[in-house]
């Protein structure tokens, strides 16, 4: 039954390939297409996935085989469905650019976050591109992560300060911030970092990052400390950019903020891991990575 399903799926995709696919008003320049696959039913190994009729781009003439890229599809701005229902986001654009560089025809499948690693381990995907933290001794990012390897990081996740433009202009040292009221999400790694490295500040806990951001916007605190990428997105797309700004430097202590985000693969696929790493280096060198990053965050987040 599974073989019949895949034969039918291939036939459908082949017929759909005659249709043009458009991306932001221009033909998509790389050879990928998106397939929405619902998480497999626990009670039936033959559950049929729902496939969205999106038209694949024609494979490159010298394509060396297709790859199944697993992602979540529900984590904006990294991987999510746009208003038109199409899969997009920083992770997705970067993955498509990597596939183009590798001359691979890539198909994206969306699944629940908790199932991504097990699907990869079972061979139901070739790589996970879903903002997955690279495990480190101080911050194990995966449970059930046996037999999984990662590429080099494709973006970092440091902590950073933000402040009102009329307030604190620099976060230079723990001494310079002594007595300042700092908003932070309660129970977060960012709160733990403040307690250890900025003992003189007055920590104002918030139930969520949104609440911490609101406290800064309303001038109820002097500064905010949070994930740099979340702050960049907040300031880039919202009206808050008129009131607030990033200040100081990135805090990249791996004990708190990990080793960054990478692409997950099976441990047996070291050759594919190296292929991704080489392609990523090429995108960094030719400016493609920086251009994708600026579209979503206003700066390079590598």
């Amino acid at each position: 039954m599974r073989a019949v399903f895949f034969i039918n799926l291939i036939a459908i995709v082949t017929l759909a390939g005659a249709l043009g696919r458009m991306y932001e008003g221009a033909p998509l320049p790389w050879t990928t297409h998106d397939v929405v696959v619902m998480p497999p039913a626990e009670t039936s190994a033959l559950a049929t996935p729902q496939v969205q009729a999106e038209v694949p781009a024609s494979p490159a003439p010298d394509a060396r085989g297709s790859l199944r890229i697993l992602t979540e599809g529900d984590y904006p701005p990294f991987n999510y469905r746009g208003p038109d229902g199409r899969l997009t986001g920083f992770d997705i654009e970067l993955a498509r650019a990597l596939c183009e560089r590798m001359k691979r025809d890539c198909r994206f499948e969306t699944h629940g976050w908790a199932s991504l690693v097990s699907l990869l381990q079972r061979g139901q995907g070739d790589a996970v591109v879903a903002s997955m933290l690279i495990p480190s001794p101080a911050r194990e990012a995966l449970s059930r992560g046996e037999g999984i390897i990662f590429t080099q990081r494709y973006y970092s996740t440091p902590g950073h300060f933000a402040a009102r433009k009329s307030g604190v202009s620099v976060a230079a040292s723990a001494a310079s911030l002594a007595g300042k009221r700092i908003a932070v999400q309660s129970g977060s790694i960012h709160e733990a970092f403040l307690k250890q490295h900025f003992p003189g500040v007055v920590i104002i806990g918030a139930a969520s990052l949104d609440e911490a951001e609101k406290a800064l916007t309303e001038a109820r605190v002097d500064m905010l400390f949070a994930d740099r990428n979340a702050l960049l997105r907040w300031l880039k797309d919202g009206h808050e950019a008129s009131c607030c700004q990033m200040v100081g430097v990135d805090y990249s202590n791996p004990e708190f903020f990990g080793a960054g985000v990478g692409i997950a693969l099976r441990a047996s696929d070291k050759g594919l891991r190296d292929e991704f790493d080489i392609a990523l280096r090429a995108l960094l060198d030719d400016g493609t990575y920086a251009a994708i990053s600026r579209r979503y965050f206003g700066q390079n987040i590598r």
Side-chain angles (χ1 to χ4, degrees), residues 7-262:
I7 290 171
N8 291 335
L9 177 60
I10 291 170
I12 292 170
V13 171
T14 302
L15 291 173
L19 302 176
R21 181 177 185 180
M22 303 301 290
Y23 183 77
E24 294 184 351
L28 185 65
W30 39 74
T31 59
T32 62
H33 57 284
D34 303 340
V35 178
V36 182
V37 181
M38 300 300 291
E42 295 295 330
T43 57
S44 173
L46 300 179
T48 303
Q50 295 182 0
V51 180
Q52 180 170 319
E54 292 194 14
V55 183
S58 299
D62 55 349
R64 289 175 294 126
S66 62
L67 295 175
R68 290 171 296 173
I69 307 296
L70 307 179
T71 193
E72 182 183 13
D74 192 30
Y75 186 53
F78 294 98
N79 55 84
Y80 63 99
R81 294 279 163 188
D84 59 358
R86 292 182 59 236
L87 193 61
T88 188
F90 176 80
D91 289 341
I92 306 306
E93 282 204 45
L94 182 63
R96 286 173 172 149
L98 288 168
C99 289
E100 179 191 20
R101 177 68 62 169
M102 294 160 59
K103 301 187 185 305
R104 294 276 197 167
D105 179 22
C106 292
R107 182 179 66 185
F108 292 85
E109 298 180 0
T110 57
H111 298 270
W113 169 260
S115 69
L116 293 175
V117 171
S118 60
L119 289 168
L120 179 66
Q121 290 170 320
R122 295 199 302 267
Q124 294 179 248
D126 298 301
V128 174
V129 185
S131 287
M132 191 165 283
L133 283 175
I134 299 170
S136 62
R139 189 175 178 192
E140 183 66 24
L142 289 175
S143 59
R144 302 180 303 158
E146 300 82 0
I148 301 299
I149 58 174
F150 282 80
T151 62
Q152 62 181 288
R153 79 169 192 268
Y154 65 89
Y155 73 84
S156 57
T157 57
H160 207 106
F161 285 102
R164 293 180 62 81
K165 292 181 177 179
S166 58
V168 178
S169 60
V170 65
S173 66
S176 68
L177 295 183
K180 299 296 184 184
R181 293 166 56 85
I182 312 295
V184 68
Q185 184 173 352
S186 296
S188 67
I189 55 173
H190 302 91
E191 181 182 43
F193 181 81
L194 284 180
K195 288 179 177 178
Q196 181 167 324
H197 294 278
F198 292 85
V201 304
V202 178
I203 294 177
I204 307 298
S208 66
L209 179 57
D210 287 344
E211 288 298 316
E213 291 168 344
K214 184 177 180 181
L216 180 62
T217 302
E218 297 176 350
R220 290 186 278 114
V221 296
D222 300 301
M223 301 179 74
L224 161 66
F225 188 67
D227 175 74
R228 178 203 60 191
N229 304 326
L231 292 176
L232 284 172
R233 188 69 173 183
W234 176 59
L235 294 173
K236 179 179 182 294
D237 291 343
H239 68 276
E240 293 83 3
S242 63
C243 84
C244 307
Q245 63 185 347
M246 306 280 282
V247 295
V249 299
D250 285 343
Y251 293 90
S252 302
N253 188 321
E255 179 182 353
F256 291 91
F257 308 118
V261 165

